[in-house]
Amino acid sequence: MDVHVKKTVPVEYYEVAKAYRKVRQGGKAVGIDEESWTDFEKDVERNLYVIWNRMASGSYHPQAVREVEIPKKDGTMRKLGIPTLRDRIAQQVVKDYMEKRIDKLFHEHSYGYRPMKSAHQALEQVRQNNFRYDWVLDMDISKFFDEVDHELILKAVSHVMEEKWVLMYVERWLKMPVQKKDGTIEQKQGRGTPQGGVISPILANLYLHFAMDKWLAKHYPQIRFVRYADDAVIHCRSLTEAEQVKSALIARLAEVKLRVNESKTHIAYCKDYVRKGNHETVKFDFLGFSYQPRTRRSKYDGKSYLAFTAELSSSNRKKIIQTIREHGAWRDTRLDIEQIASGLNSKLRGWINYYGVYSKRNLRSTLRKIEYRLLKWLCKKHKVNVRKAMVKLKAIKRESPNLFYHWQAGYG
């Protein structure tokens, strides 16, 4: 039953305008109404006024979300729900309102989609925990955004937010039907929040705050965990403790109507030059990095030693290489090299700024694939052999060392 609000909702026009500016910086994908930002901005002030007027009167009702699918690492498809641009703006208004009031309640080691928190902070905390704890429980919650329970979400929202209008709009967004790829409309069955919706991350954090974070802090205060949205790793002192936490957490998540993917949930041993025990699993992945034993050389005496460190994961390395290989410019010899650089630099900047923090050497060897592709392209464009193409490429690097972002960042 939709929550009814008798009085005017306290949403100001400037809050809608601010939400629009934030959402505008995000994706360009259109919703079921096919309205693009170009269409919306033909009369942006009037369109913002309409959103504000309807939200402030409590009469704003969202449209269905458009379902799209993207491939996952395991070969299955991840379903995303794309709201309309107007629904994204309205969701941002409520997200901002909630965030100001409840973000301070969240656990300090919950990092996903929070102000002043980042994936790099989460990765660094995991790195620090690896030094202090020998065992890691790598948890995988099965289809979290598809299975999260509406009744429990609304219970969590009402527990931390007194404003009935917030609960009303959250409920309406949870109930948004889904337009499938074939155009059919599918109604929600009391569960799921679209992965792609602006409001979904804060709802996910709130749900897991009560379902996992507070529960772990209460029942296992001696362990340490890091959570980024629905991705979590839990550090334990012993294998026995890790197994106990795993069993207890599986039962706890079942209580809140979530399932653990046991085939992807495992316990890893942080093996290094000190921790020399034998265990079947000595590796886990988190946020695109793989933590595992690797040989390192000491800065002080030059000797090699075994360290438990983070590197670009093999699956993400393959994904980068595939993106480079499939870049359309390699097949077009009519382009000049500046156009190729322009098409790649935004991706290069993203990869280097993210993965370069812990994986410079591995990333550098991965990005050498660009040099290989450039040589093949130069051979075709100038109808020369590889040796002459190498001479040309060296000359280009001397004349324009900042042409490609990875050149100027020292990865070329």
Side-chain angles (χ1 to χ4, degrees):
M1 184 70 68
D2 197 11
V3 177
H4 293 287
V5 178
K6 295 180 180 179
K7 58 185 180 181
T8 303
V9 174
V11 172
E12 302 291 343
Y13 175 83
Y14 80 87
E15 293 171 330
V16 176
K18 184 172 69 173
Y20 153 70
R21 289 193 292 271
K22 286 184 179 180
V23 175
R24 184 66 178 87
Q25 296 172 7
K28 299 178 181 179
V30 299
I32 65 166
D33 61 357
E34 298 186 351
E35 182 179 39
S36 67
W37 285 120
T38 302
D39 299 328
F40 185 86
E41 289 165 352
K42 288 177 181 176
D43 198 350
V44 64
E45 290 187 7
R46 180 182 178 280
N47 289 329
L48 292 176
Y49 176 85
V50 170
I51 295 171
W52 166 75
N53 185 269
R54 291 178 181 171
M55 289 195 75
S57 64
S59 62
Y60 188 92
H61 288 271
Q63 294 183 266
V65 297
R66 181 173 64 87
E67 186 177 87
V68 297
E69 294 182 341
I70 59 172
K72 295 169 67 174
K73 293 178 185 177
D74 59 7
T76 61
M77 302 301 288
R78 184 190 305 278
K79 294 179 180 179
L80 300 182
I82 309 298
T84 65
L85 304 184
R86 294 169 190 250
D87 285 336
R88 276 179 249 173
I89 294 168
Q91 287 184 25
Q92 185 70 49
V93 172
V94 177
K95 175 184 178 290
D96 288 344
Y97 188 90
M98 291 179 66
E99 199 166 64
K100 288 177 185 176
R101 290 154 180 82
I102 70 172
D103 185 74
K104 60 188 176 185
L105 304 176
F106 293 150
H107 195 279
E108 64 175 323
H109 293 151
S110 165
Y111 293 90
Y113 309 107
R114 293 181 59 193
M116 309 304 293
K117 296 276 189 176
S118 70
H120 281 156
Q121 289 175 331
L123 290 161
E124 177 59 25
Q125 187 59 54
V126 169
R127 194 175 77 91
Q128 294 298 326
N129 291 345
N130 288 339
F131 295 147
R132 302 184 182 99
Y133 294 81
D134 294 356
W135 298 89
V136 172
L137 171 57
D138 182 10
M139 290 291 301
D140 188 279
I141 301 175
S142 180
K143 299 179 179 178
F144 173 79
F145 285 92
D146 294 333
E147 298 193 357
V148 63
D149 184 77
H150 289 182
E151 184 179 345
L152 291 177
I153 284 185
L154 294 172
K155 183 178 179 181
V157 173
S158 64
H159 185 73
V160 297
M161 299 293 301
E162 295 180 354
E163 297 86 341
K164 296 292 185 184
W165 67 272
V166 172
L167 193 65
M168 174 188 72
Y169 280 131
V170 168
E171 185 175 6
R172 289 180 186 175
W173 284 316
L174 288 175
K175 289 180 176 179
M176 286 188 302
V178 176
Q179 184 186 72
K180 310 294 282 186
K181 291 177 69 175
D182 61 4
T184 59
I185 299 294
E186 182 180 273
Q187 298 296 327
K188 293 287 184 67
Q189 302 298 320
R191 63 182 187 177
T193 181
Q195 193 170 357
V198 174
I199 198 75
S200 295
I202 196 169
L203 296 181
N205 273 335
L206 187 59
Y207 198 98
L208 289 171
H209 170 70
F210 290 111
M212 181 187 289
D213 301 355
K214 284 180 69 69
W215 184 86
L216 282 171
K218 178 181 178 181
H219 294 280
Y220 295 94
Q222 74 279 11
I223 61 94
R224 292 292 180 269
F225 71 89
V226 171
R227 182 173 65 78
Y228 195 94
D230 61 329
D231 200 354
V233 290
I234 301 165
H235 284 78
C236 302
R237 298 169 298 183
S238 68
L239 176 58
T240 300
E241 183 176 65
E243 289 171 340
Q244 289 174 346
V245 173
K246 178 183 175 181
S247 297
L249 195 50
I250 288 172
R252 167 57 182 171
L253 292 176
E255 289 176 1
V256 294
K257 303 182 181 181
L258 293 175
R259 296 181 297 117
V260 171
N261 186 336
E262 296 197 44
S263 66
K264 294 183 179 179
T265 296
H266 61 270
I267 296 170
Y269 179 55
C270 302
K271 187 171 184 176
D272 59 14
Y273 72 98
V274 174
R275 297 172 287 203
K276 300 178 180 179
N278 292 319
H279 186 68
E280 183 181 356
T281 304
V282 291
K283 170 186 173 182
F284 67 93
D285 287 357
F286 185 61
L287 300 183
F289 286 84
S290 171
Y291 292 83
Q292 66 187 78
R294 291 183 173 87
T295 302
R296 289 289 182 264
R297 191 173 296 279
S298 172
K299 297 178 182 177
Y300 305 104
D301 58 14
K303 293 182 179 179
S304 297
Y305 67 99
L306 191 67
F308 195 82
T309 60
E311 286 280 3
L312 168 66
S313 69
S314 59
S315 60
N316 282 280
R317 185 176 190 272
K318 289 176 184 176
K319 195 180 296 183
I320 291 173
I321 291 172
Q322 182 179 358
T323 301
I324 293 170
R325 184 173 62 246
E326 295 176 353
H327 186 59
W330 307 129
R331 295 185 294 274
D332 193 346
T333 54
R334 295 170 299 175
L335 299 176
D336 55 41
I337 198 166
E338 287 78 13
Q339 289 172 301
I340 293 179
S342 178
L344 278 172
N345 276 341
S346 61
K347 292 184 176 69
L348 288 167
R349 186 175 289 106
W351 293 330
I352 291 169
N353 290 347
Y354 186 72
Y355 293 110
V357 173
Y358 294 115
S359 195
K360 285 185 171 64
R361 184 173 59 181
N362 199 344
L363 184 59
R364 185 178 290 110
S365 68
T366 303
L367 296 182
R368 287 199 186 109
K369 301 296 181 182
I370 293 176
E371 315 306 300
Y372 169 73
R373 292 287 163 181
L374 279 171
L375 285 173
K376 288 189 69 175
W377 178 81
L378 286 168
C379 287
K380 287 190 292 183
K381 183 177 178 67
H382 298 286
K383 296 180 175 57
V384 296
N385 59 30
V386 174
R387 182 176 294 179
K388 290 184 178 178
M390 289 177 68
V391 172
K392 281 183 174 293
L393 186 57
K394 286 181 180 179
I396 292 169
K397 281 188 175 183
R398 283 196 304 270
E399 294 169 9
S400 304
N402 296 327
L403 181 59
F404 285 86
Y405 185 79
H406 70 300
W407 291 356
Q408 58 180 281
Y411 287 81

